Structure formats: structure tokens, C-alpha cells
Amino acid sequence: MNRSRPLLATLGAGIAVTLGLAGCAGSETTAENAVAAGGEGALSACPATVVLQTNWFPEPEHSAAYALIDPAEATTDPDAGIYSGPAIADPSITIEVRSGGPFIGFQQSTALLYSDDSIMLAMIDTDESVKLSADQPTKAVYTPLQVNPQILLWDPERYSFDEISDIGESDATVLYFQGATYMDYLIAQGDVRADQVDGSFDGSVTRLVADEPVVMQGYITQEPYRLKVDFPDYGRDVDSFLIADSGYDIYPAAWSGKPEVVEAQSDCLAQLVPAMQQAQIDYMDDPEPVNQAISDYLVEIDQFFQVTPELGAEIHRVMQDEGIVADGTDGVFGSFDAERMERMTALLADIYAESGVEVAEGLTAEDIYTNEFLDSSISYGR
């Protein structure tokens, strides 16, 4: 998930930049030119260290990366936000998972790919990939989530909405992160009104808890639980709409690389992507070890974002029950649907054209994703 919520204001820019520099420290070896480790292992075509950049603090939604490593063998660097260890699929290869958020100065993952050549893959949303396609192109090779878990949520004791367009007919202030492209889409669709949106959202649920007339953005995997359990002044269920159900159906946090790296490391990716497919399925089948490892690691990090084992279990349940984690339309785990990608690429190009953002000339869906590295025999089957 793209968790680039503007919590920088609560941390201080200096802290974020300092942590960002620490988190970006990597080897001088580039992902494009890294020499394969060789040998007979399942990841023998990969470099000795594979660097994966997430877009937020460690969380169960990132299990495709964290589950590559046996928690019992993992090494943590909480100051730099680095979780590493031998790959379960091939212990001769080290997997290094880097945290995002404050550890990268709240930069977009694409910026990291283009400033740190040691990163092989980073988590990038479809809309980010389209928006930056002219100057910083990326290609997605694996999607850990089939449904974007981002929602608009509200207190059902204040509002009763049957469909998303009902929000636009209400007096609610719609809180969102300034610059989020989905809001441009919702306004253009008539689902919300331009005069009711407020881009000052800072990740806090204070205004909803204080019973203000608001609809706010969040994630179905986390905010409903947090509001019910962690905020006793509210302490009840919320109602919500998935933004994906509005037609703004991006793939969130897809594992992506620079096109030249994807080409240069194609032999590695043909081994690594199936390992990520299997690691995430293994997590879905038995989430507790990785959830506990993530929770313990966040305690070590000791910042504002924490995931208790109980919340981790709830995130897993929601990802499973809501189909957030599921097979692609072709029955392959982690695959992109061609028609969906074509529709979203065209839709996003039109949105950005309206706002004066230049995307790559002649951009097509095939420019920003591929299913070629997936093992078509790997299926979640649920």
C-alpha cells in the first residue's frame, strides 16, 4: 500500500530526512549490473544481495517481501529500517527489505529507484507509474494485492450512504491527502463535490473521533480496527466504500523496477518473482510467524506506527475475506489483468492531461507492467 500519508508534520522534517538518508544507504553495486551469485540454488541468477524497497513501515500488507526471510534468521537495523536475512528459497542469497515512510524522507518509491541503483524492485502504485512515465519510467512485475484497500470511511451514526455518489449529496467534508489522484477522478465522476474536499488530511482520525461531519480516507485493513480498538472515545464500527469500487481500480504497491533493470535482471526475476508468489501464499496460510516478526521489529523501530499481533491477525483476515489478496483473473497469483491495466492507463493519462502532467508519449499498459516472470502454476485458490 502507498502509505505516503503526510505525517511528516508530526515527526519534523529534520528527523525524516536524517532517517531517509540512513535508510537509503546501500552498496555501490547497482541492481542493473549486479553479478549473479551462481551456484545451484533456486535464486542462483540473482545477485548475492537483493534489495527490495517498500513504501511504508513494515506491515502485513508487505508480506511478499518479509515472508521471503525466515524470521528466526532475520537481522534488523531499526535505525535504518532494514530487515534482512537469507532467502528461504535459497539461503545463499540475502534479501534486504528496506522500509519507506520516514526512512526515505517520505519520498515516492520511484524517486528511490532513480536515486539508489542498488534497489532492484520497489512498491509502486499504477497511478504513480503512469504519472512519472515520461521521466522516471517503471515496470511492474508482481502485484501482491488484487484490490486497492484504500477506502473512504465515516461514522454510520452520522451518515447513511448507499453508494459513493451519496457522499457528494451530503454536507460532509471529505478529508484526503493532497495530491491523491483518485480524488480528481471522484470529482470528475460527480461522486464528490470540489467544494467539499479538504486536502489537509494528516493521517489523524481526530476529527472523526471528535464527531465532526467528515468522511475521511483510510485503509480497510487498518483504520476500522484501529478506530474500534485503539480509540475508546469512538470505539465502534465505521462504514466505508472501497475507492476501487468507484472505477478507480489501480493495482496498489506493485513490485516494480526500472525498465532497464527489469531487462538486465530478467533471469533473476524469473526466479525471484515465483519466490515472492510462494512466500506470500505461505504467509496467507500461516501468518503468525511473520506478523509477530513485524510487530517485534516495529517495537524496535519505536516510532509512531505500530502493528500489534492482534492487528496483524485482523489485517490478514481482512485481506483474505475481502479478496484484497487473491489470484488474478487468470487464476495466477500476483498477476495483472490486461484489460484492467489498459483501462486504467488510458483513464490516468486523461486525468493527468487535464491537470497538465505530461506522461510518456504513446504510453501503453504494456509499458508499465508484465506478467512474464510469474509462475503460472502458483495459485492461492481462494
Side-chain angles (χ1 to χ4, degrees):
M1 294 191 302
N2 186 346
R3 286 271 182 182
S4 301
R5 295 185 286 190
L7 290 161
L8 187 59
T10 65
L11 294 174
I15 295 174
V17 171
T18 300
L19 290 172
L21 292 173
C24 292
S27 66
E28 295 181 359
T29 302
T30 68
E32 181 179 359
N33 298 318
V35 177
E40 301 297 323
L43 301 178
S44 59
C46 293
T49 299
V50 173
V51 179
L52 304 174
Q53 177 67 59
T54 70
N55 57 15
W56 191 240
F57 285 92
E59 53 188 348
E61 294 91 334
H62 301 172
S63 56
Y66 288 100
L68 287 168
I69 304 166
D70 181 347
E73 301 294 328
T75 299
T76 60
D77 184 342
D79 293 327
I82 294 175
Y83 183 97
S84 61
I88 293 172
D90 183 350
S92 68
I93 302 298
T94 296
I95 303 294
E96 181 176 300
V97 186
R98 298 182 184 175
S99 300
F103 296 98
I104 59 174
F106 292 92
Q107 297 178 78
Q108 290 181 305
S109 295
T110 302
L112 264 294
L113 277 178
Y114 277 85
S115 64
D116 187 342
D117 288 338
S118 69
I119 301 170
M120 183 176 292
L121 298 176
M123 302 179 85
I124 299 175
D125 295 350
T126 305
D127 46 11
E128 182 179 333
S129 186
V130 172
K131 184 176 185 178
L132 301 179
S133 58
D135 297 324
Q136 295 180 320
T138 54
K139 178 166 281 192
V141 298
Y142 172 68
T143 180
L145 307 178
Q146 284 294 323
V147 176
N148 182 6
Q150 197 166 41
I151 56 175
L152 291 177
L153 63 90
W154 63 91
D155 181 355
E157 293 189 5
R158 176 176 287 275
Y159 295 112
S160 178
F161 301 133
D162 293 323
E163 52 190 39
I164 198 165
S165 60
D166 292 341
I167 296 174
E169 298 176 0
S170 74
D171 66 349
T173 297
V174 181
L175 299 173
Y176 78 108
F177 174 34
Q178 185 69 45
T181 306
Y182 78 83
M183 193 58 70
D184 295 330
Y185 171 81
L186 294 180
I187 291 171
Q189 290 286 104
D191 291 326
V192 299
R193 305 188 315 276
D195 65 356
Q196 73 179 146
V197 301
D198 180 347
S200 67
F201 180 68
D202 63 358
S204 169
V205 297
T206 302
R207 293 177 65 179
L208 185 142
V209 172
D211 197 31
E212 292 188 27
V214 296
V215 170
M216 56 175 279
Q217 74 170 49
Y219 292 87
I220 195 171
T221 47
Q222 298 203 21
E223 271 74 16
Y225 177 91
R226 291 182 186 274
L227 277 161
K228 189 171 184 178
V229 175
D230 297 339
F231 293 87
D233 288 344
Y234 183 81
R236 58 185 182 272
D237 291 329
V238 295
D239 279 347
S240 65
F241 289 130
L242 281 165
I243 290 169
D245 289 340
S246 72
Y248 192 83
D249 199 13
I250 64 168
Y251 286 97
W255 287 100
S256 310
K258 293 189 291 186
E260 61 267 28
V261 171
V262 171
E263 181 177 0
Q265 291 292 344
S266 60
D267 289 342
C268 170
L269 291 172
Q271 297 175 337
L272 178 64
V273 171
M276 296 179 81
Q277 290 174 273
Q278 190 59 55
Q280 191 175 3
I281 287 177
D282 290 344
Y283 165 81
M284 293 302 294
D285 288 341
D286 182 19
E288 194 279 330
V290 172
N291 281 349
Q292 187 66 56
I294 287 173
S295 180
D296 292 344
Y297 179 32
L298 285 166
V299 170
E300 289 185 81
I301 289 173
D302 192 28
Q303 291 198 41
F304 62 90
F305 185 83
Q306 296 291 316
V307 175
T308 64
E310 294 78 14
L311 174 55
E314 175 66 7
I315 292 170
H316 171 269
R317 183 195 67 78
V318 174
M319 288 195 299
Q320 182 170 271
D321 292 355
E322 298 292 332
I324 305 297
V325 172
D327 291 334
T329 54
D330 58 358
V332 178
F333 191 70
S335 70
F336 300 88
D337 179 79
E339 182 178 346
R340 176 176 166 187
M341 285 296 292
E342 289 166 5
R343 185 181 73 82
M344 287 307 304
T345 300
L347 183 153
L348 289 161
D350 288 344
I351 290 175
Y352 292 129
E354 287 290 325
S355 59
V357 174
E358 293 187 8
V359 304
E361 185 175 357
L363 182 71
T364 67
E366 289 74 18
D367 294 326
I368 63 171
Y369 89 99
T370 180
N371 285 325
E372 67 179 293
F373 303 113
L374 295 164
D375 183 336
S376 60
S377 70
I378 298 179
S379 172
Y380 186 36
R382 298 191 186 185

